[in-house]
Amino acid sequence: MANTRRILHLVVRFVAFAATFCAAIIMAASHERGSISTMSFEAKYTVFPFFEYFLVVNSVATVYGFLVLFIPTESLLWQPVVAVDLVLTMALISSFSAAYAIGMVGMKGNSYWKPICGSIPKYCDKVTGAFVADLIAVVIYIILLLNSIHTALNPLLLKKKLSNFSG
Amino acid sequence: MANTRRILHLVVRFVAFAATFCAAIIMAASHERGSISTMSFEAKYTVFPFFEYFLVVNSVATVYGFLVLFIPTESLLWQPVVAVDLVLTMALISSFSAAYAIGMVGMKGNSYWKPICGSIPKYCDKVTGAFVADLIAVVIYIILLLNSIHTALNPLLLKKKLSNFSG
């Protein structure tokens, strides 16, 4: 039972790692040349500071997600991992939200800014793919965090630990 | 010592409550009429969907932050509070990041969209104030969360708890 949980934990973490890896690669590699009126331009992550932020955070998450897979099961390193998970999840949520807000203006525009996805449809599709991959990673990290908190604070489990300890 | 910690905890939570309250009020109340070229417009949170999101999350955080102040010290309700803190902090980070990204485009513009703060300077100043208040709340909630995780997972503290329990 404990072994199944551990394998499931690793599989879930591997999916999160793969998702951030895909999000980073797609964001880094996507570019398209388009034109609005007579102005020609290159759409790329470097044009939007918040897309750069998205790429940086996902790259860091990819490296961290990869390294965590090699922490031995009984290692004490799993304790700081919860805190690092928390900070990383916040960075992922922050970068996703900021990039998504910019992406939505690009797609739908608003009273002040016109949408630009009509001129760069492929780029917008790819960025949407990066967002979806990132969202999968965010959801996984939130579940891992809630699970950690539940495990750490569950009074029943704590009592079990205590009885194991005193018995 | 324990009492000082409790009072400090409540004071910190009160500041977070006040910060989200200010952020929500400023965002809800700010509006300014401006014009770009010949087009006249009203700048308000309803114009930007992510500013509405910011307002909703800060309103929820205000109500929650107020209610939490009345939880008795020894109540078991403090256990789910950690999980709710986590979800709320994520919502605050998400809404801050999205609104900030839009705010930055409004302030600085980019290759595709022109800045609009020149036409609505007072509105931009007030929204910046709301962002600062929100950021204070976010930082406080992150510190509270890291403190909870530290307290819950600290092996020394756990050992102390265990020795109290078995002794």
Side-chain angles (χ1 to χ4, degrees), chain A residues 2-72:
Chain A
N3 252 338
T4 317
R5 273 183 73 93
R6 274 169 205 162
I7 290 167
L8 184 68
H9 180 213
L10 279 184
V11 169
V12 166
R13 282 204 176 262
F14 181 80
V15 175
F17 151 73
T20 52
F21 180 70
C22 290
I25 290 289
I26 297 171
M27 184 55 89
S30 302
H31 58 98
E32 189 179 6
R33 186 156 281 284
S35 59
I36 297 178
S37 305
T38 55
M39 189 186 75
S40 169
F41 62 84
E42 175 87 14
K44 206 169 182 297
Y45 71 91
T46 46
V47 178
F48 305 96
F50 293 101
F51 283 11
E52 278 188 285
Y53 175 41
F54 179 95
L55 175 59
V56 170
V57 172
N58 273 282
S59 305
V60 172
T62 303
V63 175
Y64 168 75
F66 181 73
L67 293 177
V68 161
L69 295 175
F70 297 97
I71 297 179

Side-chain angles (χ1 to χ4, degrees), chain B residues 125-138:
Chain B
D125 283 350
K126 285 178 186 167
V127 167
T128 306
F131 287 169
V132 172
D134 193 43
L135 199 58
I136 292 170
V138 166

Side-chain angles (χ1 to χ4, degrees), chain B residues 20-134:
Chain B
T20 52
F21 180 69
C22 291
I25 290 289
I26 298 171
M27 184 55 88
S30 302
H31 59 98
E32 188 178 8
R33 185 156 282 284
S35 58
I36 298 179
S37 304
T38 57
M39 189 185 76
S40 170
F41 62 85
E42 175 87 12
K44 208 173 179 298
Y45 71 92
T46 46
V47 178
F48 305 96
F50 292 101
F51 283 10
E52 279 190 284
Y53 175 42
F54 179 94
L55 176 58
V56 169
V57 171
N58 273 280
S59 304
V60 172
T62 303
V63 175
Y64 168 75
F66 182 72
L67 293 177
V68 161
L69 295 175
F70 297 97
I71 298 179
T73 311
E74 301 297 336
S75 170
L76 275 177
L77 275 175
W78 284 109
Q79 279 178 355
V81 158
V82 182
V84 181
D85 273 2
L86 176 70
V87 175
L88 187 83
T89 308
M90 286 167 177
L92 280 172
I93 290 176
S94 164
S95 66
F96 172 81
S97 305
Y100 181 76
I102 299 297
M104 284 306 286
V105 177
M107 206 170 277
K108 298 195 173 175
N110 63 25
S111 315
Y112 312 110
W113 303 308
K114 286 184 183 161
I116 54 173
C117 277
S119 319
I120 42 168
K122 282 182 194 167
Y123 182 72
C124 285
D125 283 350
K126 285 178 186 167
V127 167
T128 306
F131 287 169
V132 172
D134 193 43

Side-chain angles (χ1 to χ4, degrees), chain A residues 100-114:
Chain A
Y100 180 77
I102 300 297
M104 284 306 286
V105 176
M107 207 170 276
K108 298 194 173 175
N110 63 25
S111 314
Y112 312 108
W113 303 307
K114 287 184 181 161

